[in-house]
């Protein structure tokens, strides 16, 4: 893999990279009944990252197939795919397109971009931790990253909820997004 040094950090060579879905995970966490957390993930997605000569001019795009949501409970997944939440028949994809990148510390960046869920587009800020670059045992270039952010699901039209007799609601408004990923040079 061709790497280079940029402002004291070893980064991938400029070029376009695809997300390696075999070594990546797009997950989320949401409060349930105000007392516990439910975790889930999406299993069908694709994305590219174009690393510019100046990494702060880089760009990323991601497309997630909403029907691939998986929390490990079939009934809950069916509800999440329905009109109360993702409405996968009407809105088959969630998309993200970056707009700008800023460096926060040695290996931490902020990526700001447009996230679209249920045809509602909002600007979101992602915290990206660069994991480094290398070559796997088969000679393929790879670099890694961790991303997290928190969203208010109601801002994207995901407003369904149910009041609890004890106070509070069944599903929390805030959703934590957790992405662990690897990327390889685009073919």
């Amino acid at each position: 893999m061709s790497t280079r040094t940029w402002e004291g950090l070893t980064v991938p060579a400029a070029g376009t990279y695809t997300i390696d879905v075999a070594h990546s995970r797009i997950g989320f966490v949401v409060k349930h009944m105000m007392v516990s957390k439910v975790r889930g993930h999406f299993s069908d997605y694709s994305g590219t990252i174009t690393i510019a000569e100046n990494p702060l001019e880089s760009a990323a795009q991601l497309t997630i197939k909403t029907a691939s949501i998986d929390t490990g409970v079939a009934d809950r997944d069916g509800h999440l795919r329905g009109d109360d939440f993702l409405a996968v028949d009407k809105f088959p994809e969630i998309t993200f397109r970056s707009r700008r990148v800023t460096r926060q510390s040695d290996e931490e960046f902020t990526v700001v971009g447009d996230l679209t869920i249920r045809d509602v587009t909002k600007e979101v800020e992602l915290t990206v931790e660069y994991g480094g670059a290398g070559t796997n045992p088969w000679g393929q270039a790879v670099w890694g990253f961790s991303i997290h952010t928190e969203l208010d699901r109601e801002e994207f039209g995901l407003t369904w909820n149910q009041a609890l007799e004890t106070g509070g609601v069944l599903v929390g408004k805030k959703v934590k997004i957790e992405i662990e990923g690897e990327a390889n040079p685009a073919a």
Side-chain angles (χ1 to χ4, degrees):
M1 172 176 200
S2 176
T3 58
R4 60 202 164 106
T5 301
W6 172 78
E7 295 187 8
L9 185 64
T10 301
V11 298
T16 299
Y17 298 82
T18 57
I19 295 174
D20 178 354
V21 296
H23 297 99
S24 300
R25 184 174 195 277
I26 298 177
F28 59 89
V29 181
V30 66
K31 279 274 205 172
H32 179 251
M33 293 188 58
M34 311 299 291
V35 297
S36 65
K37 296 176 183 173
V38 169
R39 294 182 180 274
H41 70 276
F42 292 93
S43 59
D44 188 0
Y45 53 89
S46 61
T48 58
I49 302 125
T50 301
I51 304 293
E53 284 298 328
N54 173 355
L56 298 181
E57 296 172 1
S58 298
Q61 67 83 26
L62 176 68
T63 300
I64 300 168
K65 300 295 184 183
T66 54
S68 74
I69 194 166
D70 184 355
T71 65
V73 177
D75 286 346
R76 178 173 47 223
D77 294 345
H79 189 199
L80 292 171
R81 289 182 188 111
D83 288 344
D84 285 341
F85 288 97
L86 294 173
V88 303
D89 292 336
K90 295 177 202 154
F91 309 106
E93 296 178 340
I94 294 171
T95 61
F96 175 80
R97 303 278 181 272
S98 67
R99 292 214 257 146
R100 64 185 175 280
V101 180
T102 56
R103 189 174 188 182
Q104 301 305 317
S105 64
D106 287 346
E107 296 178 353
E108 189 173 284
F109 296 82
T110 297
V111 176
V112 174
D114 293 326
L115 178 65
T116 302
I117 302 172
R118 291 181 59 118
D119 279 349
V120 175
T121 302
K122 298 281 183 187
E123 183 177 275
V124 297
E125 188 173 287
L126 309 177
T127 300
V128 180
E129 180 183 336
Y130 172 64
T135 304
N136 70 20
W138 301 273
Q140 184 179 37
V142 62
W143 61 274
F145 52 89
S146 297
I147 300 171
H148 67 272
T149 194
E150 186 173 276
L151 309 171
D152 180 340
R153 65 183 178 86
E154 292 183 352
E155 290 181 358
F156 293 92
L158 301 167
T159 58
W160 183 90
N161 225 328
Q162 186 172 344
L164 300 173
E165 286 182 25
T166 56
V169 291
L170 188 62
V171 183
K173 284 176 49 168
K174 299 293 182 186
V175 179
K176 292 181 182 178
I177 307 298
E178 302 170 335
I179 301 173
E180 294 296 326
E182 289 184 10
N184 311 109

